[in-house]
Amino acid sequence: MKVFKLQNINSSQAKYLQLAETVRCAIRQGQLAAGDKLPSVKSISEDLGLNRHTVMKSLAELVAEGWIESIQRVGYKVVSHLPIENSKRQALSRVAGIRSHIDYRFVRSGSALPSYPANRFEYNFSGGQPDINLFPFDEFKRCMSEVLSRPNPAQLSYGQSAGTPELIDQVKTYLRKSRAITEREIVITNGSQEALFIVSQLLLQLGDKVAVEELGYPPAMSAFSNTGAELVGVKQDAQGMCPNDLDAQILKGNIRLIYLTPLHQYPTTVTLTVSRRMAIYQLAAQHKIPIVEDDYDHEFHYRCQPLAPMATDDPARLIIYLSTFSKIMFPGARIGIMAVSKAMAKAVTEYRLMICHKSNVLMQAALARWMENGGFERHLRRTTRVNLQRRDHAVLVLKKYPCFEFDIPDGGMALWVKLKHSTDIIQGIPSAEWLANKCQPLGIYIQHEKQFCFNKNNDRDGFIRLGFAGMNENKFAKGIDLLVNSLNIKH
Ligand SMILES: Cc1ncc(COP(=O)(O)O)c(C=O)c1O
């Protein structure tokens, strides 16, 4: 039952009238809803220091006006058929002549990204999806419990906007050992998306251009274009972004930022070759254009040691290095990493103060403990092994069907698969988008090429992206089997 505390009363009006108006007000504003029970006469008189007779007189007035009713052995209740909405609206319109709800003048909008399908589909082949069942929740719970049993008041308050010092230390060591990144400032963000957004806000404005590959990560594109900047598609091939085309685009003017996913190009999975990295870096240095290097899933590289990030050889401090814990933990952890120059770290930390002050301290402190006690590294080894097995298994499954053509990726969590469009192989499948749409009623979610083109007029529609890391082998095989058989794909 809702407990309603009447406001203290202090005015020259008769007390019973003041009390009646307080109750009317509460009903009009929705604090008291139709059918809600009022506190007893005794508690109202005690709370407000009124004598009972005054309270009874006030309630009798409200009963007479039709706001409340008195029910034997229950007490006073707000009447159930009161047209409260109307009375509220009438009261407002009386005051201001308001007839309808305001139409806000939105001067900016968010992105029109599709809602995330994670739980809606039995077979979710979404590309960057980690398998949350692999996460050692019990182990992590112990780290969280240790943090909660020894709370650090200084950290729980405002300040330390770049992140919890223990986590910053752990991340520094981790990046040094796993990615050879040193001598950079670390900022912990609410996922790398926050970092992408802040960097865009800091570096871009209307009239600027951002060089991106023709196919890319839609949330990054949204963050860039939200500033008013124009996205410029640079040609890409089996070695990643083409430096010649980048050069041509830079010469047209106004390119202020380059966005790359060099280790595993998103969504095609190819690794940007060393010679191309050097050529792109030289162009960027010559024209003083910063590069966002999004190293989002470097943990999962299977063939050999992954190529070192561009941030390890960055004399001009052009590289804004980003990474995330969303793949190795889960996206809801919202832990992103920036490894940047002092100037960029300062600008980002100051900008964050306007949005959110800092990230979730408990999560950061628990993660720091988990990294310190070796749990993170164990989990890393296990998931890398499991994901490699899943990649190999996915390759075997898909190879059974000649309608799918693909290169085996050296790393990552997804395969970039070409649908062979010859009608003797695929019966009546006009496009990847068509296939993805047809899959949905079957409980299968797959991403198709068009979803990664920021230029919607682009006619690219021949590939699908199949994530293999988010589900076990059995489920992957069943999902593909269902897809192929239900859609009558010849095989
Ligand atoms: C290219 C790319 N960058 C970054 C991320 C991670 O984003 P966040 O850290 O905001 O979860 C993803 C996740 O899907 C991604 O695919």
Side-chain angles (χ1 to χ4, degrees), residues 128 191-193 217 259 261 266 294 296 324 326-327 331 334-335:
S192 46
Q193 188 58 32
Y217 179 52
Y259 174 71
T261 44
Y266 186 100
D294 186 350
Y296 61 104
T324 180
S326 291
K327 312 291 168 186
R334 302 319 297 141
I335 304 265

Side-chain angles (χ1 to χ4, degrees), residues 6 9 14-28 54-55 57-59 61-62 65 67:
L6 292 170
I9 290 166
K15 300 274 190 219
Y16 84 95
L17 289 177
Q18 290 178 41
L19 174 57
E21 184 49 23
T22 309
V23 176
R24 270 188 224 105
C25 224
I27 295 172
R28 279 195 215 103
T54 307
V55 175
K57 193 170 168 193
S58 177
L59 296 179
E61 178 84 14
L62 291 166
E65 288 175 12
W67 293 96

Side-chain angles (χ1 to χ4, degrees), residues 346-360:
K346 180 170 180 290
V348 169
T349 311
E350 286 173 0
Y351 197 92
R352 291 191 84 222
L353 286 177
M354 292 193 300
I355 314 173
C356 61
H357 283 289
K358 62 201 293 184
S359 310
N360 182 332

Side-chain angles (χ1 to χ4, degrees), residues 90-159:
Q90 277 164 16
L92 279 171
S93 22
R94 259 205 315 279
V95 175
I98 295 164
R99 302 255 177 274
S100 61
H101 292 171
I102 183 176
D103 283 328
Y104 290 105
R105 185 185 70 115
F106 290 109
V107 295
R108 233 160 251 110
S109 63
S111 69
L113 297 171
S115 60
Y116 285 91
N119 303 319
R120 268 184 33 225
F121 294 90
E122 172 72 13
Y123 302 97
N124 180 11
F125 287 98
S126 170
Q129 180 92 345
D131 186 348
I132 291 170
N133 294 317
L134 296 177
F135 190 75
F137 285 101
D138 282 342
E139 195 177 293
F140 197 75
K141 193 168 85 183
R142 284 196 288 281
C143 300
M144 187 60 93
S145 159
E146 279 168 34
V147 169
L148 287 171
S149 51
R150 277 185 288 279
N152 180 338
Q155 286 184 358
L156 289 169
S157 189
Y158 293 112

